[in-house]
Amino acid sequence: MEAARPPSTAGRFVVVGGGIAGVTCAEQLAIQFPSEDILLITARPVIKAVTNFKQCILTGDGSQHVYEKLCLCAGAKPKLICEGNPYVLGIRDTDSAQEFQKQLTKAKRIMIIGNGGIALELVYEIEGCEVIWAIKDKAIGNTFFDAGAAEFLTSKLIAEKPEARMAHKRTRYTTEGRKKEAQTKSGAGNLGSALGPDWHEGLNLKGTKEFSHKVHIETMCEVKKIYLQEEFRISKKKSLPFPRDRCNQSVTTDKEAWPVYVELTNEKTYGCDFIVSATGVTPNTEPFLCGNNFDLGEDGGLKVDAQMHTSVSDVYAAGDICTASWPPSPFWQQMRLWTQARQMGWYAAKCMAAASLGESIDLDFSFELFAHVTKFFNYKVVLLGKYNAQGLGSDHELMLRCTKGQEYVKVVMQNGQMMGAVLIGETDLEETFEHLILNQTDLSSYGDLLDPNIDLEDYFD
Ligand SMILES: Cc1cc2nc3c(=O)[nH]c(=O)nc-3n(C[C@H](O)[C@H](O)[C@H](O)COP(=O)(O)OP(=O)(O)OC[C@H]3O[C@@H](n4cnc5c(N)ncnc54)[C@H](O)[C@@H]3O)c2cc1C
Ligand SMILES: NC(=O)C1=CN([C@@H]2O[C@H](COP(=O)(O)OP(=O)(O)OC[C@H]3O[C@@H](n4cnc5c(N)ncnc54)[C@H](OP(=O)(O)O)[C@@H]3O)[C@@H](O)[C@H]2O)C=CC1
């Protein structure tokens, strides 16, 4: 029987990547050019939204897709502390989250390395399993918070979680895309789309025990070495590299034989069932670099200018794969987040459309102000502008308001103007603060902006 010839297509616009950036880009192109076929190529057979585009899987089978303008939205992959170790898990897509859930159901103790979004969410959500959380910093959540906000949140981590929360946990998927992605497995090594907000809602994050939280935090340390059980046993016998007095109490007295042991740079060693490496992401550029002269950012992403255009002619990029390289607004910075990936995908499509008509467009308004809304430890969290005084040097002031267990408000001020804010809890201040930052209102004559007796919303209406 004759083998089927690889398909060959020609189209004006091709988008690579079926995550939020790619799908939004393709959708927007389809809206702008309803009579054109928009080709969306993804490493997975499932994309995240309703599709009236030609979906295709790039299998390296030689199929060719000719384009006039191409947008690369291939996302990022977890940057693991150690590649190829079966006890080190990263979480990115449905498959990796399910693998994590499966391992957790058998676990008594796990280690979480990293101090960003995934770690923050996991340490709070995991129940019935001891968690040793190792962070490089003095305080938790360095990618989002300063030490004050971290302290506010830490008390929630120590407290017991309400029973009701535990009763609600069961395996379910919140979106059709995720459900389908779980059912449709493609070749090993293929990346799925990043899970995004509410990713753990459908997962049963419960270990083998019957308590809610048991989190021990090791600060200011990194992983020095990982030992499998047998390696650990041998090294202990030889007293190398684990002289007894260098070992953590819990290891020397620990009768449990753990599958894996982690030696930290603070000289402590912990045994555990497995390790979650929640240590950030690396832009997924590798498949596209061979033979192409892309300029790369310091973080390894494809550099894009204010038109989302890479350094290669007619090639655009959006989402986690790219590094924004235009001079940013004073209140915006790139972070690899779902909202930014969506905004970039949408705006890249606008830029591609304009360029194909020989025009260019102004940078979209969404890149004026950094705004991120999320939930940590069951608190609503809103981050605005230079929320951690990023890049402001020492020439700034902070205003704080904190009610334990209820709200934490931090405002970053410079020359009497608001530059950023962290709002934790139901503060209702986000809209007012957004305006104050964007308008750069002179607030120097208003005294204590955070005085709870002043209705700011009313004041600045
Ligand atoms: C566990 C987790 C929780 C998160 N939670 C939040 C949150 O609460 N809030 C928030 O704002 N952000 C969150 N994020 C970040 C957010 O999900 C990502 O920033 C965003 O989804 C990135 O979208 P993307 O489209 O750029 O990339 P991706 O979603 O990674 O999509 C990339 C796509 O490209 C495809 N692809 C890869 N390589 C190829 C190739 N060679 N050829 C063809 N296709 C390819 C992949 O299959 C995939 O479909 C979270 C991320 C994770 C991992
Ligand atoms: N609610 C939300 O908004 C969520 C967002 N996300 C997003 O998903 C992506 C993946 O999340 P995540 O993996 O948590 O990435 P993040 O970038 O959020 O955090 C990575 C953390 O790991 C630390 N780190 C990096 N390398 C090491 C190392 N070798 N040893 C110890 N610590 C290390 C980083 O420290 P340093 O900064 O000092 O390098 C940082 O604290 C991110 O883009 C994140 O923004 C994920 C979950 C929830």
Side-chain angles (χ1 to χ4, degrees):
M1 213 168 66
E2 208 184 322
R5 292 244 312 269
S8 189
T9 63
R12 197 161 166 196
F13 300 107
V14 174
V15 179
V16 173
I20 187 64
V23 170
T24 311
C25 182
E27 260 175 356
Q28 189 54 35
L29 285 167
I31 290 167
Q32 301 224 182
F33 299 94
S35 57
E36 297 272 345
D37 284 334
I38 314 293
L39 183 64
L40 180 61
I41 299 173
T42 181
R44 281 276 183 170
V46 170
I47 57 173
K48 278 200 164 178
V50 187
T51 130
N52 51 3
F53 324 110
K54 278 188 184 165
Q55 195 188 341
C56 185
I57 304 162
L58 192 62
T59 57
D61 63 352
S63 58
Q64 287 182 27
H65 311 283
V66 180
Y67 64 86
E68 190 186 301
K69 306 244 174 271
L70 166 71
C71 190
L72 297 176
C73 306
K77 49 189 170 191
K79 191 179 68 181
L80 301 182
I81 44 162
C82 168
E83 293 286 347
N85 184 324
Y87 294 99
V88 178
L89 305 187
I91 301 176
R92 179 75 186 171
D93 53 8
T94 315
D95 282 357
S96 51
Q98 284 191 332
E99 180 59 25
F100 164 68
Q101 176 185 262
K102 196 171 115 196
Q103 301 283 343
L104 184 65
T105 56
K106 299 177 276 180
K108 285 183 278 202
R109 184 200 283 171
I110 67 167
M111 279 197 79
I112 298 180
I113 314 295
N115 199 11
I118 293 180
L120 270 173
E121 297 206 22
L122 282 183
V123 291
Y124 184 72
E125 295 298 331
I126 287 173
E127 293 168 357
C129 180
E130 195 183 341
V131 174
I132 312 288
W133 185 14
I135 60 177
K136 287 198 295 184
D137 319 278
K138 272 190 191 155
I140 65 167
N142 78 318
T143 53
F144 297 99
F145 306 118
D146 59 9
E151 196 185 323
F152 173 84
L153 288 171
T154 307
S155 55
K156 196 75 179 270
L157 199 55
I158 297 158
E160 274 283 310
K161 279 203 283 188
E163 280 300 311
R165 289 187 56 80
M166 295 176 77
H168 279 129
K169 294 275 170 182
R170 62 183 179 277
T171 308
R172 65 184 158 87
Y173 285 89
T174 49
T175 67
E176 272 305 293
R178 283 180 205 171
K179 204 188 289 172
K180 283 187 199 151
E181 195 166 83
Q183 288 159 359
T184 341
K185 302 222 174 192
S186 60
N190 278 346
L191 290 170
S193 308
L195 289 165
D198 303 326
W199 62 281
H200 49 73
E201 286 294 305
L203 294 173
N204 176 18
L205 297 183
K206 181 132 177 35
T208 52
K209 301 202 172 169
E210 282 309 317
F211 49 78
S212 61
H213 289 303
K214 199 165 185 185
V215 181
H216 171 77
I217 307 172
E218 286 289 345
T219 58
M220 299 178 77
C221 63
E222 289 181 55
V223 173
K224 193 165 164 189
K225 197 158 183 205
I226 298 172
Y227 296 84
L228 301 185
Q229 191 182 91
E230 186 57 15
E231 289 172 321
F232 181 71
R233 205 179 54 79
I234 293 166
S235 63
K236 251 180 99 179
K237 238 184 199 167
K238 290 183 188 162
S239 286
L240 276 171
F242 293 105
R244 279 185 171 270
D245 56 353
R246 277 182 52 210
C247 278
N248 176 22
Q249 197 75 25
S250 64
V251 164
T252 47
T253 54
D254 196 351
K255 296 279 181 292
E256 191 91 34
W258 297 97
V260 62
Y261 290 81
V262 180
E263 186 186 5
L264 298 171
T265 48
N266 65 5
E267 313 274 281
K268 293 183 183 174
T269 303
Y270 288 95
C272 60
D273 288 297
F274 66 92
I275 304 150
V276 178
S277 178
T279 39
V281 297
T282 308
N284 190 22
T285 55
E286 200 201 297
F288 313 105
L289 297 183
C290 183
N292 293 310
N293 201 11
F294 283 109
D295 283 352
L296 299 182
E298 271 178 30
D299 57 11
L302 303 178
K303 273 190 174 184
V304 289
D305 62 18
Q307 299 289 305
M308 303 305 291
H309 195 269
T310 67
S311 55
V312 172
S313 182
D314 291 317
V315 181
Y316 295 71
D320 279 8
I321 194 175
C322 79
T323 302
S325 300
W326 61 82
S329 129
F331 325 112
W332 187 85
Q333 60 271 323
Q334 183 181 11
M335 277 183 82
R336 292 194 161 80
L337 295 169
W338 199 85
T339 26
Q340 289 199 0
R342 192 178 51 174
Q343 287 159 353
M344 286 178 171
W346 180 89
Y347 176 60
K350 289 275 191 190
C351 292
M352 291 163 81
S356 78
L357 302 171
E359 298 161 4
S360 78
I361 53 173
D362 288 338
L363 188 65
D364 188 68
F365 186 71
S366 55
F367 302 108
E368 279 295 307
L369 175 71
F370 175 87
H372 182 46
V373 182
T374 187
K375 210 175 211 191
F376 290 123
F377 298 10
N378 218 22
Y379 285 110
K380 179 178 175 182
V381 173
V382 181
L383 306 173
L384 296 173
K386 298 288 174 184
Y387 61 88
N388 260 346
Q390 297 95 323
L392 299 185
S394 53
D395 175 28
H396 67 271
E397 288 167 35
L398 301 181
M399 288 187 184
L400 290 175
R401 182 170 94 196
C402 179
T403 312
K404 209 175 167 200
Q406 198 180 323
E407 62 161 24
Y408 177 92
V409 179
K410 181 184 85 174
V411 170
V412 181
M413 303 288 293
Q414 194 173 44
N415 303 324
Q417 292 162 319
M418 196 180 286
M419 303 300 286
V422 175
L423 309 174
I424 306 179
E426 296 298 329
T427 66
D428 264 348
L429 290 170
E430 51 269 36
E431 254 183 63
T432 310
F433 282 11
E434 254 187 55
H435 290 133
L436 291 178
I437 296 171
L438 276 172
N439 298 337
Q440 285 295 279
T441 315
D442 184 356
L443 301 166
S444 38
S445 57
Y446 289 96
D448 184 6
L449 273 182
L450 300 183
D451 182 340
N453 299 315
I454 300 176
D455 185 348
L456 277 177
E457 213 180 331
D458 241 24
Y459 215 63
F460 292 105
D461 214 9

